[in-house]
Amino acid sequence: MSDAGARQGGGDAAGADGTAQPAKVLVVVAHPDDIDFGGAATIARWISDGADVTYCIVTDGDSGGSDRSQSRADMASVRRREQVAAAAVVGVDDVRFLGYPDGKLYSSLGLRRDISRVIRQVRPDRVVTQSPEHNWERLPASHPDHRAVGDATLDAIYPDARNPFAHPELLEEGLEPHIVEQVWVMASVHPTHWVDVTATFDLKIRALSCHVSQVAHMEDLAGFVHSRLTASARAGGLPDGHLAEEFLVVRAPG
């Protein structure tokens, strides 16, 4: 099911699937740069329309890069700085790092608790996260850390963050349960919604360019991303010349 507004180039206009402009958004991803590759142009659109957005980055990306002489602690510091800078490009100034080790994630009870904590702190109506599925056409999108974060985030949304008896220590911290209304899943094998990001493409490229440690080797970053977003727009039925980011949009149980 694709959104009629998106097919007409209207992006995430309100419709039967409930994709109205969000007031507060929480993004939960595994690594610095994940949101910038997956959905930064959409985030920029929402912010320009008045949304308040928080990033929660589960790891510091310390396994990234190819320079073996650089310590992993230094790489973690570099990638934190890069993500904060990239977030600022699209208008996000609340970036939180959970500090889990890169490349060693699994959907543990502790990770579910820590994501639930951020959900209760931020109290978003919309959460953007990664797909827990294998994408056989795009294996890099199915990095095990991505899948682990998607799985843990979905479990944190339902049932943990809304259940006062889940993770009782959160109540002891003064964090009341919270119900998330919608989940937007990036890199799903079954996208349902295409956001027209033609107007915010340049911001996405500027944000991605902040991740020097990860993209400096790419000779034509803008061309690569433009090609991907062109294909997404075509899949979503947008007019020629438009660019789109795609998502699986899920209504959380009430």
Side-chain angles (χ1 to χ4, degrees), residues 26-30 54-58 98 111 115 118-119 127-130 149-150 153 186:
L26 172 64
V27 176
V28 186
V29 293
T54 296
Y55 285 176
C56 175
I57 316 298
V58 174
L98 298 187
L111 180 56
I115 295 172
V118 179
I119 290 173
V127 170
V128 178
T129 193
Q130 294 165 300
V149 166
T153 301
M186 299 183 294

Side-chain angles (χ1 to χ4, degrees), residues 105-194:
L105 288 181
Y106 61 97
S107 185
S108 65
L109 194 60
L111 180 56
R112 286 167 52 179
R113 178 203 60 221
D114 290 345
I115 295 172
S116 296
R117 176 182 289 111
V118 179
I119 290 173
R120 293 191 189 188
Q121 291 170 338
V122 175
R123 311 188 76 77
D125 50 286
R126 182 174 294 176
V127 170
V128 178
T129 193
Q130 294 165 300
S131 175
E133 307 165 279
H134 272 102
N135 187 329
W136 299 112
E137 295 182 0
R138 290 177 55 202
L139 279 180
S142 302
H143 187 294
D145 284 356
H146 297 182
R147 289 185 284 112
V149 166
D151 195 41
T153 301
L154 291 171
D155 287 345
I157 290 169
Y158 185 87
D160 294 1
R162 65 173 59 201
N163 182 357
F165 305 108
H167 315 298
E169 59 269 40
L170 298 183
L171 279 182
E172 295 172 5
E173 295 172 17
L175 298 173
E176 290 293 324
H178 176 71
I179 295 175
V180 174
E181 296 175 6
Q182 278 189 348
V183 189
W184 284 51
V185 181
M186 299 183 294
S188 171
V189 296
H190 302 294
T192 60
H193 194 72
W194 289 260

Side-chain angles (χ1 to χ4, degrees), residues 1-248:
M1 176 186 67
S2 60
D3 180 74
R7 285 189 176 276
Q8 296 167 8
D12 49 308
D17 62 354
T19 53
Q21 164 69 15
K24 189 171 290 188
V25 178
L26 172 64
V27 176
V28 186
V29 293
H31 311 111
D33 82 15
D34 285 349
I35 182 57
D36 298 302
F37 274 109
T42 296
I43 295 300
R45 265 200 59 170
W46 291 343
I47 289 174
S48 71
D49 289 336
D52 183 11
V53 179
T54 296
Y55 285 176
C56 175
I57 316 298
V58 174
T59 81
D60 294 333
D62 50 284
S63 290
S66 58
D67 184 356
R68 297 185 186 184
S69 68
Q70 185 171 33
S71 75
R72 295 302 89 193
D74 285 349
M75 175 56 71
S77 296
V78 166
R79 297 202 69 187
R80 280 190 180 221
R81 291 196 298 270
E82 289 174 346
Q83 182 59 85
V84 170
V89 167
V90 299
V92 176
D93 58 14
D94 185 358
V95 183
R96 308 181 187 195
F97 296 90
L98 298 187
Y100 278 74
D102 184 1
K104 300 178 182 179
L105 288 181
Y106 61 97
S107 185
S108 65
L109 194 60
L111 180 56
R112 286 167 52 179
R113 178 203 60 221
D114 290 345
I115 295 172
S116 296
R117 176 182 289 111
V118 179
I119 290 173
R120 293 191 189 188
Q121 291 170 338
V122 175
R123 311 188 76 77
D125 50 286
R126 182 174 294 176
V127 170
V128 178
T129 193
Q130 294 165 300
S131 175
E133 307 165 279
H134 272 102
N135 187 329
W136 299 112
E137 295 182 0
R138 290 177 55 202
L139 279 180
S142 302
H143 187 294
D145 284 356
H146 297 182
R147 289 185 284 112
V149 166
D151 195 41
T153 301
L154 291 171
D155 287 345
I157 290 169
Y158 185 87
D160 294 1
R162 65 173 59 201
N163 182 357
F165 305 108
H167 315 298
E169 59 269 40
L170 298 183
L171 279 182
E172 295 172 5
E173 295 172 17
L175 298 173
E176 290 293 324
H178 176 71
I179 295 175
V180 174
E181 296 175 6
Q182 278 189 348
V183 189
W184 284 51
V185 181
M186 299 183 294
S188 171
V189 296
H190 302 294
T192 60
H193 194 72
W194 289 260
V195 178
D196 188 332
V197 295
T198 311
T200 52
F201 173 76
D202 288 345
L203 287 174
K204 180 182 180 76
I205 298 304
R206 283 176 53 200
L208 281 168
S209 297
C210 292
H211 298 281
V212 176
S213 67
Q214 308 304 302
V215 304
H217 67 285
M218 300 181 69
E219 295 183 1
D220 187 10
L221 173 64
F224 168 75
V225 176
H226 193 280
S227 176
R228 289 282 296 275
L229 299 193
T230 296
S232 291
R234 187 177 300 118
L238 274 72
D240 289 346
H242 285 244
L243 305 172
E245 291 176 336
E246 59 187 36
F247 304 85
L248 168 64

